Amino acid sequence: MAQRDALLLDFLATTPWKNATRDPLAADASGRSYERLTHNGATAILMNAPYEAGEDVRPFVAVTKMLKSFDLAPPQIFAMDIENGFLVLEDFGNDLFARMCEVSPNLEKPMYSAAIDVLTKLHKHDAPDELPPYDLAVYLREAQLLTSWYLPALTGKLSPALQSEFDALCMQTFAQIPTDNPVLVMRDYHAENLLWLPDRTGTSRVGLLDYQDALAGHSAYDLVSLLEDARRDTSPDLRNDMIQQYLENSNHNANSFMAAYALLGAQRNIKIIGIFTRLSLRDGKAHYIDLIPRVWDHLMRDLQHPACAKLSAWIAQYAPPPTDKNLQKLRSSK
């Protein structure tokens, strides 16, 4: 830690922020940490992404350039130390969508509408060639987080036969997701990664964060991420209005798009339940368990689509719901 602190100070000494005050910001689920730098009345955000913690700033830098080329609003990068994993970024302030929806509920629909405009604009562009594909192999690997963490914690380790059955059902189910015309998928496009910037205009009113894991995939994915939020409730009316807005401004067939939306929603929510269980049991972050019931509700709704019928039957038979008793089993004792 002392060595990393020294590297950080050496980096800041090469920037205009060498004499800045540093205030820690709330941590997220990753190995990254953030601080707000303040100097002469100006502020910036310091990203600290240690390679030894599995982090890498290079994808963030690359995707930032992609999003800027599409005339969207990722933060400017003021300074970088790629070798050691430090970035100084534009400070978008504190007005996260999630916070603004709490303090000014009347802003919810305008903000979400602006976020839909961002996706509409982004999806007019093909995915850059350098992005890896969000393909069937990734869908399966992510879905297996459910059977690697959530199910074993509640029912014990799956038998090889049951694991094979789950894998085959996932492959069969998610193979229905169209692979043509992929777009840049940010993957964590939700109310705690979007900043409201009302002094700007158009899609620049939505400041973008946490997109370094972007892949080339289906355009419904980020819509699912926004509307089936793990961290805050979204009403049926809001979800329906935003989906309708998106469809009215795109060339998608509504029926096929909604099938893909349900399939991607099921895949994403299965993954998140596994991730939140892992964050609790492996990393000692038990507060993520409190979010699982909301994610489960999203999953149950997605599984009602006929395209998910076989997977829905398997989940109903083998995946226990997140009752209070089951949630307690998922809480870390660390």
Side-chain angles (χ1 to χ4, degrees):
M1 183 63 71
Q3 181 180 5
R4 184 145 189 92
D5 288 342
L7 289 172
L8 173 54
L9 292 175
D10 288 344
F11 164 61
L12 288 177
T14 68
T15 77
W17 305 93
K18 61 183 177 181
N19 296 318
T21 58
R22 295 164 49 193
D23 297 302
L25 297 175
D28 59 17
S30 73
R32 299 181 299 276
S33 61
Y34 298 89
E35 298 176 25
R36 176 166 279 122
L37 307 176
T38 305
H39 182 59
N40 290 338
T43 63
I45 301 298
L46 171 68
M47 179 193 291
N48 183 342
Y51 287 93
E52 58 268 25
E55 299 298 327
D56 186 348
V57 297
R58 290 171 296 183
F60 182 90
V61 172
V63 180
T64 296
K65 293 177 180 177
M66 295 175 195
L67 293 171
K68 282 202 173 289
S69 75
F70 299 150
D71 194 30
L72 297 174
Q76 295 185 55
I77 300 176
F78 295 141
M80 64 179 79
D81 178 352
I82 298 295
E83 180 180 356
N84 293 304
F86 300 116
L87 300 176
V88 177
L89 307 171
E90 179 182 5
D91 184 3
F92 283 149
N94 298 314
D95 290 342
L96 289 167
F97 274 36
R99 174 179 172 274
M100 296 305 293
C101 286
E102 287 187 8
V103 301
S104 300
N106 60 303
L107 285 177
E108 182 186 54
K109 190 168 181 179
M111 289 192 301
Y112 273 75
S113 179
I116 294 297
D117 288 341
V118 169
L119 295 182
T120 302
K121 188 173 186 177
L122 175 61
H123 297 164
K124 293 185 184 299
H125 302 274
D126 295 334
D129 292 339
E130 56 267 42
L131 283 178
Y134 209 159
D135 58 15
L136 197 52
V138 181
Y139 294 147
L140 175 60
R141 184 171 68 247
E142 292 180 343
Q144 287 171 335
L145 290 164
L146 184 82
T147 54
S148 297
W149 291 95
Y150 182 79
L151 264 64
L154 297 181
T155 65
K157 184 176 175 61
L158 274 69
S159 68
L162 196 57
Q163 182 67 61
S164 295
E165 184 178 332
F166 176 78
D167 293 350
L169 274 174
C170 285
M171 293 287 281
Q172 179 183 356
T173 301
F174 301 138
Q176 299 173 84
I177 300 169
T179 58
D180 55 327
N181 303 315
V183 298
L184 188 156
V185 175
M186 288 178 275
R187 301 181 71 192
D188 283 307
Y189 190 74
H190 56 71
E192 291 195 359
N193 283 335
L194 302 176
L195 274 295
W196 185 234
L197 308 172
D199 293 337
R200 304 187 184 187
T201 60
T203 55
S204 294
R205 293 176 298 166
V206 182
L208 305 175
L209 300 176
D210 200 11
Y211 44 71
Q212 60 281 333
D213 296 324
L215 295 174
H218 194 279
S219 56
Y221 190 93
D222 280 342
L223 197 63
V224 169
S225 180
L226 178 68
L227 300 179
E228 297 193 357
D229 198 323
R231 294 163 177 81
R232 70 175 304 268
D233 292 326
T234 53
S235 70
D237 285 346
L238 179 70
R239 292 194 298 269
N240 292 335
D241 288 348
M242 295 303 106
I243 291 170
Q244 187 62 32
Q245 177 183 328
Y246 181 83
L247 288 172
E248 287 175 354
N249 292 283
S250 71
N251 296 320
H252 291 287
N253 173 275
N255 289 335
S256 60
F257 183 85
M258 292 312 299
Y261 181 98
L263 289 161
L264 288 163
Q267 190 274 343
R268 177 176 169 81
N269 290 311
I270 284 171
K271 169 184 68 173
I272 291 174
I273 291 168
I275 289 174
F276 285 175
T277 304
R278 183 177 67 184
L279 282 167
S280 176
L281 297 179
R282 188 190 70 182
D283 302 333
K285 299 178 179 180
H287 61 283
Y288 282 97
I289 297 306
D290 296 332
L291 304 177
I292 288 180
R294 181 183 293 111
V295 181
W296 184 268
D297 288 344
H298 291 321
L299 174 60
M300 293 299 102
R301 188 170 57 251
D302 292 322
L303 290 176
Q304 291 174 16
H305 195 282
C308 300
K310 292 182 179 179
L311 181 60
S312 177
W314 193 96
I315 295 290
Q317 183 172 357
Y318 296 110
T323 61
D324 289 344
K325 181 178 179 180
N326 284 334
L327 291 174
Q328 192 57 38
K329 294 179 182 179
L330 305 178
R331 298 186 191 280
S332 169
S333 59
K334 293 183 180 180

